[in-house]
Structure formats: structure tokens, C-alpha cells
Amino acid sequence: MDSLKDEVKFLFSGMGMPYEKVCLLVAMVISVIMSVMLSGNFAKDAEVVVIDLDNSAYTRELTNRINASEYMHVTAVVNTPADPKELMYRDKAYAVVYFPQGLEKDRYTGTASNVGVFYDNTSTASTANIKVAMNAIIGLDNAEAMGDPGSTNDSLKGQVSIADRGLFNPQESTSNGEAFAFLFFFGSMFFTFATIGMVPRLRMTHQLDAILLNGTPWNLIVRIIPYAGCLITSWVVGMAVFRVWGDLNFAGSLITFLLLQLFFVVTVGMLSIFFGWNAANPGIASSRMILFIPGGFIFGGPTGPVSFYSDWVVALSHAFPLTWQFHFVRDIISRGAGLADISRELGAFLIYVAVVALIFCWRFYKARRALVAETAVTVKEETPEEEEDLEPVVTPA
């Protein structure tokens, strides 16, 4: 009983993780917030691009049928040859439908023809419903051509088949999916554990006051560099293992990816220091990792396709740094995009980095002003007031 009383006393003392608050917060977040954000359970109105080289009444009718499906939304129709991979950059399309030239002619002359469909296999769950919907559309069209009892058109003869191809991860390997996502998630999580207690540690060792009074925000940012170097090195080693031991498809440039990691890791480091700033000790600061790391893993695409979520959830997810990381992983590593191909996304990410840096600098200078004011008050209290001269002043006549 003495051990139990002692542990209960420590639990509510504030010297460790405030678990009595954290457990309730986690329960409320999962039961209330997550149930709203994760309300979608299928890819509704997933973005689809149509490459229509036939540009006929028949292909326009098929395009309208695709757009009418609850699972697909046609965002663009291209009438010239295009690379399907480029149309999928920045998650702008999860499938590309290809109508070859002469499709309508073959339909009426009895010649068998194919409709090409390219699927983005970076997330197989996002294209599962699209595959079902496309097969249903082509199946109903063929039933009409075969003289279905409910059909009023007897002139159709040619059968249309779907020739599909999975891009980026054709073998549906976990090395390009869940396992790869865990590499970046756990790496970011333990990087946060290593850096989030930096300010409480400096406060306990009496180094923080000197940094605030005589330094700049860079004095704290440069302390992230050793941890950042370890994290990036571990990611390269992990990707090498996936490439040699597993089935990783690394289609892009490693230099391009590492260049973006310099910005990403420093941004995560600044957020880590910011969230742990007011913690009483590094142990309490570690519990705050949950505020900004798991959100990007949940809503960034690894646990479920982005098309599953509402538009407002997708927009809100970009507040988490890992959301940007998984965008770059899909575009650069899986799809082979270059910096020019993702220029819009890169520009938005740099704005995000700038906002995080401004918030970090604001927190630093706010702490400096508070310390200067506290020091001034302390000096004023310790300085004795001059005693008043009580002797009368004699003025000579």
C-alpha cells in the first residue's frame, strides 16, 4: 500500500508524463475527432483523367458515364497523347482512362477493341472501387452491344475490353507501401523524442538563459543538426535495405529527395522544440509528440488513401509535417517526379516551412522578453534604496 500511495503521489505531482490527462485526451480524440475525420470508408469521386484520342460521340458518352459514377470524377479530358505518370503527380489522378483513336468505328464495324486504364498503385485501396466501377461500365456497354433485351440499339456489334496496367507498384509489394511508410513514421517519431526535450534540458542545466540573452534562434536550430544527420542517414540505409532485400521501386532522384529532407527535418525539429518549450522536464515534453507527428501518418496517405477523406480533412492534414513527407515520397520515389514536376507542391511546402520558422522565432523572442523583464525586476528588488538623510540642512545666513 505504501508503494501504491507513493506512485499515485508521483502520478499527480507533475514530475512525469501527465498520464491522467493524456489518457482522457487520447480517448476523446479517437472517439470524437477521428470518427468525424475518418467518416469516409471508400474512395468517393476519386480523380480520373481521360485521354480521348478518338474524340467521338461514343467516347464522350463513356466519359459521361465515368463521371456519373459515385466512385469517379473526371477532372480533365485530354485529346492529345500524354504520359499517364505525369497526370498522376501531386495525387491529381488515381486513374487515367485511355480511349484509342478509331474506338467508335470499331464499335460499329464489329472489331474488338480495348480501352486502356492506368491505375496509381501507390495505394491499391484508392483504386479498388475504380476498378469495379470501370468493369461495370464496360460490362453494361457490352451487354447493350450484344442485344440486351432492354436495349433499343441493335447496330452495335464490337466488343470492348479493358486493358489495365498498375503503375509505380505493379507487384503490390509492402516495400513500396506500408513497410516503407513505417520507416518515415517511426524515424520522425524517435527524432522528435530526441529533440523535443531540448529546451527543458537546457533550462535545467542553466544554459537556456544565456542563449536567450546573448543568442539567436539559430543557436537552438543548429543543435538539431546532429540528430538530423542521424535521421537522414538512417532513412538512406533503410531505403537501401528495401531496395536490395525487398522490392522497392525507386523511380526518382535520390539527390532531389535528400535536398527536400534538409528542409523537412529542420522543420520537424523546430516544431519539436516549440511544442516542448514550456515542459517542466524532458520526460513531460516527450508526451507532446502526439500533437503533431501521428496526424501526418494517419491523414497523409499510408493508413488510407487521401481520396477517402473529405476535402476539409485533406486541407487540414497539411498542418502536420509528415503529410508533406508522404507527398514527396509518392511523387519523387514512387512516381519519379522532378522538382519542376512538383513545383506547386514544393512552393506550398516552402511557405509552410517559412510559417513554422516565423512561429519558432516568435516563441524565442517572446521568451527573451520575458527573461529580460524578469531579470530587471530581480535586479531592482536586490538593489537597496538609498537611506534618506534625516539631519536638518543648515543654511548659512
Side-chain angles (χ1 to χ4, degrees):
M1 292 302 297
D2 291 338
S3 299
L4 177 60
K5 293 178 181 179
D6 182 66
E7 198 61 33
V8 171
K9 181 180 179 181
F10 174 78
L11 174 63
F12 295 99
S13 66
M15 298 176 63
M17 175 191 294
Y19 182 71
E20 75 282 2
K21 300 176 183 178
V22 171
C23 64
L24 294 175
L25 178 62
V26 171
M28 292 300 296
V29 167
I30 293 176
S31 60
V32 178
I33 299 179
M34 291 300 180
S35 62
V36 175
M37 289 186 167
L38 301 178
S39 58
N41 58 356
F42 66 94
K44 182 178 181 181
D45 290 335
E47 289 84 355
V48 174
V49 174
V50 174
I51 300 177
D52 187 1
L53 300 186
D54 195 38
N55 195 20
S56 61
Y58 173 62
T59 56
R60 286 192 290 271
E61 179 185 354
L62 285 180
T63 301
N64 291 332
R65 291 183 183 180
I66 293 173
N67 193 48
S69 171
E70 65 174 329
Y71 301 111
M72 294 178 285
H73 170 61
V74 178
T75 58
V77 177
V78 182
N79 297 121
T80 57
D83 187 354
K85 295 181 180 180
E86 297 180 359
L87 299 175
M88 295 176 178
Y89 291 156
R90 297 180 288 113
D91 295 327
K92 287 301 181 182
Y94 295 94
V96 175
V97 181
Y98 176 82
F99 294 142
Q101 190 172 4
L103 183 61
E104 184 180 46
K105 179 182 177 181
D106 295 340
R107 192 70 166 131
Y108 285 94
T109 58
T111 304
S113 55
N114 292 325
V115 170
V117 184
F118 300 88
Y119 296 107
D120 184 350
N121 255 20
T122 53
S123 177
T124 55
S126 63
T127 59
N129 290 329
I130 298 178
K131 294 177 181 178
V132 174
M134 285 299 303
N135 289 330
I137 291 173
I138 298 301
L140 291 174
D141 192 69
N142 284 331
E144 181 180 354
M146 294 174 63
D148 187 79
S151 173
T152 58
N153 191 344
D154 297 328
S155 60
L156 298 176
K157 298 179 181 179
Q159 294 291 302
V160 176
S161 301
I162 291 181
D164 58 357
R165 180 182 178 187
L167 301 178
F168 313 128
N169 186 21
Q171 68 272 37
E172 298 183 4
S173 170
T174 56
S175 295
N176 299 282
E178 295 84 358
F180 201 41
F182 279 117
L183 172 67
F184 297 102
F185 170 58
F186 282 110
S188 300
M189 186 174 67
F190 283 96
F191 171 77
T192 301
F193 283 144
T195 57
I196 199 169
M198 183 181 297
V199 169
R201 172 173 57 83
L202 293 174
R203 186 184 297 115
M204 295 174 65
T205 57
H206 306 290
Q207 295 176 272
L208 182 61
D209 290 352
I211 295 175
L212 291 175
L213 293 175
N214 305 317
T216 66
W218 283 107
N219 289 81
L220 293 177
I221 294 177
V222 295
R223 290 175 175 265
I224 302 172
I225 293 178
Y227 304 97
C230 294
L231 177 61
I232 294 176
T233 302
S234 68
W235 280 344
V236 173
V237 172
M239 288 187 291
V241 172
F242 277 128
R243 185 72 179 90
V244 177
W245 186 268
D247 302 313
L248 176 63
N249 295 325
F250 201 108
S253 169
L254 179 61
I255 301 300
T256 300
F257 182 72
L258 293 180
L259 176 63
L260 292 177
Q261 296 316 295
L262 298 178
F263 293 94
F264 171 77
V265 174
V266 172
T267 302
V268 175
M270 288 190 293
L271 287 172
S272 178
I273 296 175
F274 174 80
F275 279 99
W277 194 288
N278 289 329
N281 56 64
I284 295 177
S286 298
S287 63
R288 302 181 182 180
M289 178 277 302
I290 196 175
L291 298 176
F292 66 101
I293 291 296
F297 179 72
I298 296 172
F299 301 110
T303 59
V306 178
S307 56
F308 276 25
Y309 311 127
S310 303
D311 292 340
W312 69 271
V313 177
V314 176
L316 183 63
S317 69
H318 288 84
F320 304 107
L322 267 181
T323 298
W324 300 96
Q325 176 75 332
F326 289 122
H327 277 306
F328 296 138
V329 168
R330 289 193 294 270
D331 280 337
I332 299 175
I333 295 180
S334 300
R335 299 172 182 143
L339 292 179
D341 299 318
I342 57 172
S343 57
R344 291 179 58 185
E345 184 178 4
L346 177 59
F349 173 66
L350 292 179
I351 293 175
Y352 174 80
V353 174
V355 171
V356 171
L358 289 175
I359 295 175
F360 182 82
C361 292
W362 167 81
R363 188 67 188 86
F364 180 90
Y365 288 110
K366 179 182 179 181
R368 168 184 282 184
R369 290 193 296 270
L371 179 61
V372 170
E374 181 182 352
T375 304
V377 171
T378 303
V379 171
K380 183 177 180 181
E381 291 177 351
E382 293 178 353
T383 302
E385 297 181 357
E386 296 181 359
E387 297 182 358
E388 296 181 358
D389 189 0
L390 300 180
E391 297 181 359
V393 179
V394 180
T395 304

